Amino acid sequence: MSITLNSPLDMHLHLRDEAMLKTVAPLSSETFSGAIIMPNLVPPVTTKEQLIGYKERIGSAIGDDVFTPYMTLFFKPTYTKEFLESIKDELTAIKLYPAGITTNSEGGVSGFDVEELRPTLEAMSELEIPLCIHGETNGFVMDREAEFVSIYEKLAAAFPKLTIIMEHITTKASVEALDRFENLHATITLHHLLITLDDVAGGMLQPHLFCKPIAKRPEDREALRKVALEAHPKVMFGSDSAPHPQHAKEACGCAAGVFTSPIALQVLAELFEEHSTIENLQAFVSDNAKNIYKNITIPEKTITLEKKSFVVPEKYGNVVPMYAGETLAYSIV
Ligand code: NCD
Ligand code: ZN
Ligand code: ZN
């Protein structure tokens, strides 16, 4: 049993910088054709110089691999149309973070006043630059994403031509919002298709499964699985692979993020096969993204997965991957 994928894409990826970048970038570039690169560095990517410099450092870290880093800027409501025009050719999307909601998001947006955001969002809409959003309020942790749905809807209605991507959705409420607005789309991670809060905190605390948004209830996971496994045209794979050094995860004050890049395609193949939907995996990991992001060109790459066991390494550098030490059913040929 084997499956071949054409140009798999990871539409939400953290590559970090410096030593960590060198460790993790090849683990994406050897299997994926391209990825949306998150801008939450310290400091965040907010200028053309930073964006180009970061893209070059990614280029050095991946060596000769065929892989396109789709670059993003960290959203600021002060970006002007002139600025966006000047950077448009280097840029695939802009990522909006509510202030302080997740790793390195301190300089994000507080309050979601449409009028305050209008100049930048209107310019993005005119220039056809997609907006990616980490959609959580600062309410009760289990309700943050569901509470944010009304903000997604407010933005989708106010900017009907703006492509909005609800990043790493984790709830039934977000899945249901997809069909209400033509311009709402979503990424879904590997881990949110697999785990619920029970896996994180139901037994002994599992720091390597702790992430934002936190994994939710079984019925939420069911709703995510349904649209992912049928490759609903408005959803696409975005791993949100978010490496942190082992000491920052296995700590009092555990950093949020699950590291999945090196196992993502293997585990997706197993999940889709188990549900007899393997024929939909190509759309979920590539074709849907191409239809949602109309501004990307995708390098050709063919990846074959075969049913042959793969023992997940305990660590890559100083990062512990999801399923460390466990045996997966599929491996990459
Ligand atoms: C991400 C990170 O570590 O950068 N963490 C996470 O838990 N998902 C940030 C993010 O995507 O929210
Ligand atoms: Zn996020
Ligand atoms: Zn992320």
Side-chain angles (χ1 to χ4, degrees), residues 25-46:
L27 300 169
S28 287
S29 63
E30 67 191 10
T31 48
F32 290 91
S33 256
I36 293 278
I37 309 300
M38 290 295 143
N40 61 332
L41 304 182
V42 187
V45 181
T46 56

Side-chain angles (χ1 to χ4, degrees), residues 61 68 103 105 116 203 219 245 279 319:
T68 304
T103 310
S105 62
E116 191 191 323
E219 52 270 36
E279 69 281 3
V319 190

